[in-house]
């Protein structure tokens, strides 16, 4: 492919939000171009290979993909659902919550009926609390029309949704500390915070996994490959190694973007799939009102992560078709971000890769735990990606090795034989996320949603620059489903919300009759 002189729409960044937006608009006849700085498309969908073993960057499992469910319908519309290779996770316990000093495995099951049944088996005295909790999850999710693929008023009108804290609500259901912790136990899905996380963030995150949970066979990059294929089929274009470094203007509007390789790409409309703080700096903060740039700059990003990737020796460690969430203290599961050097890691999330030929034994494990960006201060001014190699030095390697040992020490408490199963150990830090994904300070999930300041972190896809828009995980919700819906919201500003929703529903209706 060769860049055209001009496009109707230029999208900067090939993360999920950028590619989904590109496909939607290309399907509607727009001349679309996507520009990616990296060697690989996909943002958080990227995978990498070590010792011939595939690891995911960010996609450990996906919810809402059973027939008729919300993400299934969105993926059906953009044309990738039928070709995805998926493995359904354990229906009686896709997520398992563990606490130090407690040998029990507390299970989250798939399907609301089964979810309630399994919890009742574990907490037979807590039927009222469990039923009330499940009812509230569904009630809150129903308040978000696009989450349910329905028409409806903007959810911003319902102040009660945004003022209800996740921990406060869950604590109000029961005095049983263990049940409270189990209901909240997969709060790694949104970097849960005791005093700030709203209940709607909890509900939107966990509901789709309760409905159905899947792993991507051979990693989440298959989603990227299918998205790129669909985009090309609809006449769109996508270019890697095209890092946008500045914007040009004519008559108060963006005229083009200039890439580091010298390419200039002209367009009528520009959609940034890059983190908004970075976008404003690239576009030029003088192009926006000071109050707006100050507000965006002052939105706090969620905490970053340190991840240990284990390559396993063949046929040594059984494949677990579930995720494990471990906490040292059953009474402290909302505050493990506030670790000390001595207490780290206070929690972790463990997930296994799934491949066609490893039904009995696993070949890889990823263990993710929180890490504050401030710990990266000694190496903050280094930059390293596949396209731009730059070693961070011996001290960085020693830091990672020491931290990896601590994580594996914690994993040993659940799996005492794990060390003898390990062939190689690899790690990623907040700097890895910062450099590869261009997330602010290596943030896991975009911007903090704060129940005390509910509207502060919401960013409209439209900006005050007439032909500049946003998409991506920092707008409304993160995750595969959240970012997909975010792309629909962005495209709705161009196409019309009801028009686009009708197109999505119509595509699914046609698919059912075929």
């Amino acid at each position: 492919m060769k860049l055209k002189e001009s496009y109707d729409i230029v999208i900067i960044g090939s993360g999920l939000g950028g590619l989904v937006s590109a496909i939607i608009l290309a399907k509607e006849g727009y001349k679309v171009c996507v520009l990616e700085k990296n060697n690989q498309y996909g943002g958080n969908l990227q995978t990498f290979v070590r010792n011939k073993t595939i690891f995911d960057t960010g996609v450990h499992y996906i919810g809402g993909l059973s027939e008729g469910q919300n993400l299934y319908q969105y993926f059906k519309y953009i044309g990738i659902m039928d070709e995805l290779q998926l493995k359904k996770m354990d229906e009686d316990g896709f997520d398992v919550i563990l606490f130090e000093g407690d040998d029990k495995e507390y299970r989250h099951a798939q399907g609301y009926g089964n979810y309630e049944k399994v919890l009742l088996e574990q907490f037979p005295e807590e039927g009222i609390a469990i039923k009330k909790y499940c009812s509230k999850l569904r009630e809150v999710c129903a308040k978000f029309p696009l989450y349910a693929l329905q028409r409806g008023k903007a959810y911003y009108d319902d102040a009660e949704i945004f003022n209800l804290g996740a921990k406060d609500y869950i604590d109000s259901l029961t005095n049983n500390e263990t049940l409270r912790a189990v209901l909240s136990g997969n709060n790694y899905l949104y970097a849960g915070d005791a005093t700030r996380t709203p209940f709607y963030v909890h509900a939107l995150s966990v509901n789709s996994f309760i409905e159905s949970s899947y792993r991507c066979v051979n990693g989440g990059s298959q989603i990227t490959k299918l998205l790129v294929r669909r985009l090309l089929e609809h006449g769109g274009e996508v270019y890697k190694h095209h890092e946008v470094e500045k914007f040009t203007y004519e008559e108060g509007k963006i005229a083009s973007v200039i890439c580091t390789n010298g390419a200039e790409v002209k367009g009528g409309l520009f959609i940034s799939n890059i983190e908004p703080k970075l976008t404003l700096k690239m576009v030029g903060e003088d192009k926006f009102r000071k109050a707006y740039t100050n507000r965006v700059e002052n939105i706090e990003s969620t905490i970053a992560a340190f991840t240990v990737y284990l390559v396993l020796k063949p046929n040594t460690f059984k494949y677990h078709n579930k995720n494990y969430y471990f906490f040292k203290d059953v009474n402290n599961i909302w505050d493990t971000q506030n670790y000390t050097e001595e207490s780290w890691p206070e929690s972790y999330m463990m997930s296994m890769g799934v491949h066609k030929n490893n039904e009995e034994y696993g070949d890889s494990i990823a263990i993710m735990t929180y890490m504050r960006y401030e710990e990266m201060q000694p190496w903050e001014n280094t930059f390293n990606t596949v396209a731009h190699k730059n070693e961070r030095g011996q001290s960085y390697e020693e830091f990672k090795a020491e931290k990896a040992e601590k994580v594996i020490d914690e994993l040993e408490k659940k799996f005492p034989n794990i060390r003898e199963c390990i062939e190689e150990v690899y790690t990623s830090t907040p700097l890895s996320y910062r450099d590869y994904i261009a997330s602010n300070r290596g943030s896991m999930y975009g911007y903090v949603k704060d129940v005390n300041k509910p509207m502060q972190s919401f960013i409209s896809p439209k900006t005050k620059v007439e032909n500049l828009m946003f998409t991506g995980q920092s707008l409304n919700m993160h995750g595969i489903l959240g970012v997909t819906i975010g792309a629909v919201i962005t495209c709705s500003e161009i196409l019309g919300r009801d028009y686009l929703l009708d197109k999505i529903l119509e595509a699914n209706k046609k698919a059912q009759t075929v």
Side-chain angles (χ1 to χ4, degrees), residues 458-503:
F458 278 95
I459 296 179
S460 168
K462 295 178 81 172
T463 75
K464 295 300 181 184
V465 174
E466 185 183 332
N467 63 337
L468 174 67
M469 300 183 73
F470 290 131
T471 195
Q473 72 168 0
S474 294
L475 262 64
N476 292 288
M477 279 294 289
H478 61 275
I480 302 290
L481 176 59
V483 171
T484 300
I485 292 173
V488 170
I489 292 171
T490 298
C491 293
S492 294
E493 296 286 352
I494 302 165
L495 304 172
R497 180 169 162 178
D498 289 345
Y499 170 84
L500 181 52
L501 182 59
D502 286 347
K503 284 272 189 176

Side-chain angles (χ1 to χ4, degrees), residues 230-281:
R230 293 294 93 83
L231 176 59
L232 297 175
E233 288 170 0
H234 290 295
E237 297 174 21
V238 57
Y239 298 91
K240 54 188 170 186
H241 303 133
H242 278 68
E243 180 177 2
V244 172
E245 63 176 349
K246 68 177 182 177
F247 292 71
T248 69
Y249 291 85
E250 287 178 11
E251 299 176 358
K253 291 174 26 175
I254 298 170
S256 69
V257 291
I258 309 294
C259 299
T260 53
N261 62 7
E264 180 178 14
V265 186
K266 297 177 181 177
L269 179 69
F270 295 81
I271 300 176
S272 176
N273 188 206
I274 299 171
E275 203 267 345
K277 292 178 195 282
L278 180 58
T279 303
L280 294 186
K281 287 183 172 64

